[in-house]
């Protein structure tokens, strides 16, 4: 799975947690989940768990703390997928 | 370092089975905090303990973020060192509550560490509605001599950090949309700010990191403020 494919899947994961669907459709590596998509910080762990379930990977808390921008989310998911 | 942070959790929005899953809570609680729960705090429903600690850690993070805008929130590394459970349970706050100071017997008093830095917090759980927390840098904590596992942390005397001059408020609103939450919490905080600054032009402006600052007649002032919202609840702290 390449970065573009992960990005498209990530949009589906993020969708329940943001009301700004226009910004969600236009996300890129620099998009900040909290500042740009207005996702509540209390949902950040939900997003990580959803990603774990979607890709059947385990994301430890050291990696999870990096998942604040779309690009770093894709980095972490791609890294975990490559280890499978 | 002078700072303040607060957080509010809308309890009706939490996913209890998910919160109780290891994959979820292990990203919030450290191993020693998980042990601490098993050893001393099983009278508290586990999902409430997890979200109480989230609220405490998020509040501490907001304290730090004011001075370190690029700090990454890492809940597991912000560790609870001491927790005092309230003698009296709080019930509903009937839609809106604004107060000054905390009654220690009615709130969870916590001492928290992040590396060498120490913080103190006060949290209130309002029935099945909300968890509200205010944190600030600690003045005189007992955490130096207390280890989280093995020691009895259920002590009754709170630390000496002064919360008596902190104004705080929580309010239930009709929408969980971001824009509504954001406008409602500002309006709520401005109600008390206009009492403190009568006749002045007040603005609350967030910096690039998302930390709010108060501007009076166009000038930034030292007043410490913190905003929070989650679901249909908003909260503020002001010192």
């Amino acid at each position: 799975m390449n970065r573009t494919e992960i990005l498209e899947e990530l949009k589906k994961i993020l969708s329940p947690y943001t009301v700004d669907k226009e910004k969600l459709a236009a996300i890129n590596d620099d998009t900040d989940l909290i500042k740009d998509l207005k996702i509540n910080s209390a949902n950040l762990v939900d997003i990580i768990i959803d990603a774990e379930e979607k890709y059947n990977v385990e994301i430890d808390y050291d990696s999870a703390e990096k998942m604040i921008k779309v690009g770093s989310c894709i980095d972490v998911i791609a890294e975990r997928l490559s280890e499978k | 370092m002078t700072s303040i942070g607060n957080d509010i959790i809308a309890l009706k929005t939490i996913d209890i089975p998910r919160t109780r899953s290891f994959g979820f809570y292990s990203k919030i609680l450290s191993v020693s905090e998980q042990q601490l729960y098993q050893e001393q705090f099983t009278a508290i429903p586990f999902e409430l303990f997890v979200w109480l600690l989230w609220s405490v850690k998020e509040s501490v993070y907001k304290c730090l973020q004011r001075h370190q805008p690029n700090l990454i929130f890492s809940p597991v590394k912000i560790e609870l060192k001491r927790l005092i459970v309230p003698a009296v349970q709080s019930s509903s706050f009937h839609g809106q509550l604004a107060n000054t100071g905390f009654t220690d017997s009615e709130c969870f008093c916590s001492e928290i560490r992040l590396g060498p830095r120490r913080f103190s917090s006060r949290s209130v759980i309002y029935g099945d509605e909300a968890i509200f927390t205010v944190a600030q840098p600690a003045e005189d904590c007992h955490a130096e001599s207390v280890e989280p596992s093995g020691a009895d942390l259920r002590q009754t005397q709170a630390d000496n950090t002064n919360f008596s001059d902190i104004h705080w408020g929580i309010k239930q609103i009709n929408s969980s949309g971001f824009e509504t939450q954001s406008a409602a919490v500002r309006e709520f905080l401005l109600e008390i700010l206009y009492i403190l600054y009568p006749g002045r032009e007040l603005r609350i402006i967030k910096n690039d990191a998302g930390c709010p600052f108060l501007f009076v007649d166009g000038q930034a002032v030292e007043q410490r403020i913190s905003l929070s919202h989650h679901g249909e609840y908003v909260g503020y702290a002001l010192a």
Side-chain angles (χ1 to χ4, degrees):
Chain A
M1 188 174 264
N2 62 36
R3 290 183 70 86
T4 305
E5 290 168 328
I6 295 173
L7 176 68
E8 290 307 311
E9 291 297 319
L10 188 60
K11 287 179 183 176
K12 295 175 191 170
I13 291 172
L14 298 176
S15 184
Y17 304 108
T18 179
V19 293
D20 196 336
K21 303 305 179 192
E22 277 185 31
K23 274 194 178 163
L24 180 63
I27 59 172
N28 58 45
D29 280 2
D30 290 328
T31 304
D32 188 292
L33 302 190
I34 293 175
K35 290 179 210 161
D36 297 324
L37 293 179
K38 311 299 184 194
I39 290 174
N40 194 291
S41 60
N43 290 127
L44 292 180
V45 180
D46 284 309
I47 289 165
I48 294 161
I49 300 294
D50 288 349
E52 286 184 329
E53 291 173 353
K54 178 109 187 167
Y55 298 105
N56 193 27
V57 296
E58 192 173 321
I59 300 171
D60 59 54
Y61 68 80
D62 278 331
S63 299
E65 70 180 38
K66 298 173 190 160
M67 296 172 68
I68 50 173
K69 288 194 173 186
V70 166
S72 52
C73 288
I74 295 172
D75 290 342
V76 169
I77 293 166
E79 193 179 323
R80 291 295 169 271
L81 286 174
S82 71
E83 293 168 354
K84 287 180 74 175
Chain B
M1 179 183 74
T2 59
S3 193
I4 197 166
N6 93 307
D7 186 53
I8 194 160
I9 295 294
L11 289 173
K12 289 190 174 85
T13 71
I14 68 170
D15 182 332
I16 294 175
R18 173 170 272 196
T19 303
R20 288 175 165 270
S21 69
F22 178 77
F24 189 93
Y25 70 73
S26 63
K27 292 179 176 62
I28 298 173
L29 307 186
S30 68
V31 172
S32 63
E33 289 165 342
Q34 294 169 37
Q35 290 171 350
L36 180 65
Y37 177 80
Q38 293 300 334
E39 290 166 3
Q40 298 183 25
F41 295 108
T42 51
I44 305 170
F46 186 61
E47 65 276 8
L48 274 186
F49 184 78
V50 172
W51 283 106
L52 171 66
L53 264 62
W54 170 276
S55 180
V56 168
K57 292 171 184 220
E58 172 87 16
S59 298
V60 167
Y61 170 69
K62 285 181 176 177
C63 271
L64 286 162
Q65 196 189 28
R66 185 166 294 269
H67 299 283
Q68 293 177 259
N70 296 320
L71 184 71
I72 291 172
F73 184 33
S74 181
V76 174
K77 292 174 184 166
I78 300 172
E79 273 211 287
L80 180 78
K81 294 296 183 186
R82 188 162 176 265
L83 177 67
I84 300 170
V85 176
V88 182
Q89 300 297 319
S90 298
S91 55
S92 170
F93 60 92
H94 304 296
Q96 180 172 329
L97 178 63
N99 215 333
T100 302
F102 289 88
T103 304
D104 285 348
S105 61
E106 296 176 3
C107 58
F108 291 85
C109 303
S110 309
E111 292 178 19
I112 310 102
R113 273 272 185 88
L114 177 60
R117 292 178 173 151
R118 296 180 298 135
F119 298 84
S120 179
S121 72
R122 300 290 182 269
S123 305
V124 184
I125 299 179
Y126 290 97
D128 61 354
E129 291 186 276
I131 300 173
F132 177 75
T133 298
V134 176
Q136 58 179 335
E139 291 169 10
D140 182 17
C141 285
H142 301 133
E144 291 284 0
S145 59
V146 177
E147 290 303 319
S149 179
D152 186 356
L153 306 190
R154 291 171 299 181
Q155 299 168 43
T156 54
Q157 187 183 350
D159 64 87
N160 294 332
T161 303
N162 183 14
F163 283 82
S164 64
D165 62 348
I166 290 179
H167 304 286
W168 56 274
I170 51 176
K171 186 177 185 179
Q172 187 171 15
I173 59 175
N174 294 324
S175 166
S176 59
F178 175 83
E179 298 301 335
T180 307
Q181 292 172 327
S182 181
V185 73
R186 282 168 171 72
E187 185 183 336
F188 191 28
L189 173 58
L190 283 168
E191 286 177 17
I192 186 164
L193 285 171
Y194 279 122
I195 295 171
L196 298 175
Y197 296 91
R200 313 287 287 275
E201 189 242 344
L202 305 179
R203 281 189 299 158
I204 297 164
I205 296 175
K206 286 190 171 181
N207 67 7
D208 289 343
C211 294
F213 289 87
L214 176 63
F215 286 74
V216 178
D217 295 333
Q219 297 292 318
V221 296
E222 286 297 308
Q223 193 93 53
R224 296 177 291 158
I225 58 175
S226 177
L227 306 173
S228 60
H229 48 74
H230 187 221
E232 295 184 341
Y233 295 87
V234 299
Y236 70 78
L238 160 73

